[in-house]
Amino acid sequence: MTQLPWRGCDQSARYILYQMIVYACLSRLTDGTPLSATTDYTSDADHKVREGKRCVKLLSQHSGKFGRRVCLQAEEVTLHCVIDECTAYMVVCEPTYPHILAFSFLDELKKEFNVLYTPSVVKSVRRPYAFIEFDSFLQKTRQKYNSSRALASRLNLAEMTTDLNLHPPSYIKLHQLEPPPPLPPPPLSGGSSSVSSGHIRNTSVASTPNGAVQYNGAAMKDLSTVAVTLRLKPVPWCGWLGLLLVIPCIFLDFYRGAVAISMSSLEELDGPSPWHGIFFLTEMFIQTLQVYMLWKYNKFRKLATLGCTSLVFILNGFLLDVREGWLCFVYIFASLLLLVGTFRRPFERKLPKFHV
């Protein structure tokens, strides 16, 4: 929030606080009937209020399709929504307003509303804005969340932060709720259209589950650009232990392989077998590949690290006559740790951090 000094005013009006929560409302989940809403905004002529109401109307028609928490991103406002058994709680904020404060605001509304009204009462409502008296609590809570002085010493957001990280909201764009654009008229051929000849061409418009639009069965550009990407989970403890063991093994393989090849000849009777050096260097390459598969994403990473572990087993069988048994066990154990660490590092969603 931005504070500007204002000269010539009394002590209580020295700062201007820019309003961050624009509009809040409640609606019934089954049919989108409005139950209550804030009425203390300036006027409907405010373009942010009008855009927010439009977003609320669109989201009310699809309330149960995107999960318990939703963030709808429009051009100049952001709509946050939380739903329970039969009610959708929505708040329209400026895009800079923190997500965690918006969901904390909705959580307070939900708790108070559930205390005052039971689900059976909500389901029996026949007219819009039947709980307009709830506007007083809406207004009081909105003033608290729009005031930097009230929020400075206020809320304990640790529990809400943990809950949002464990159960993140669904991020959607406004165009995912809007109807598809109208199709252009068919081109005229030979001075007559298909309509004038008495034939109307069927044109089907459909939306794919990922947000792409289809015209006549042909998929157009995917418009579902949601601010959620994917990344690998953190390396587990077994992966770190495997890295701690395998790094000195890789350097030892390189040293012993280079020495074995330099002291051997092509004839096995004249000196040490060159195959031992080749086995050492091959094992070094395989375990380096396992480290890469643990650290970076690859389509065949699990299959590759499983094959690498099998090859380490086989190579240690060939090297048992030139390497101590306990050292062979260390190499095999390190390879198994890298295998388990790779299998226990799947994808996770990369979401914004919900901190103020």
Side-chain angles (χ1 to χ4, degrees), residues 125-197:
V125 166
R126 293 291 179 266
R127 59 183 177 85
Y129 299 103
F131 308 124
I132 195 62
E133 66 275 5
F134 192 71
D135 168 69
S136 58
F137 182 81
L138 283 173
Q139 180 177 349
K140 180 178 67 174
T141 310
R142 193 184 71 162
Q143 288 175 352
K144 180 177 74 171
Y145 277 82
N146 280 341
S147 170
S148 60
R149 294 179 181 177
L151 291 177
S153 59
R154 62 177 194 276
L155 309 165
N156 182 12
L157 297 176
E159 184 178 352
M160 178 59 66
T161 302
T162 303
D163 190 36
L164 283 174
N165 286 326
L166 292 176
H167 306 95
S170 301
Y171 283 83
I172 60 176
K173 298 290 186 179
L174 187 59
H175 60 71
Q176 293 179 253
L177 304 178
E178 293 175 332
L183 291 175
L188 299 177
S189 176
S192 62
S193 64
S194 58
V195 178
S196 63
S197 60

Side-chain angles (χ1 to χ4, degrees), residues 26 80 181 208 231 247 277 283 332:
L26 287 72
H80 300 81
T208 60
R231 66 177 178 185
I247 289 176
E283 188 179 44
I332 294 173

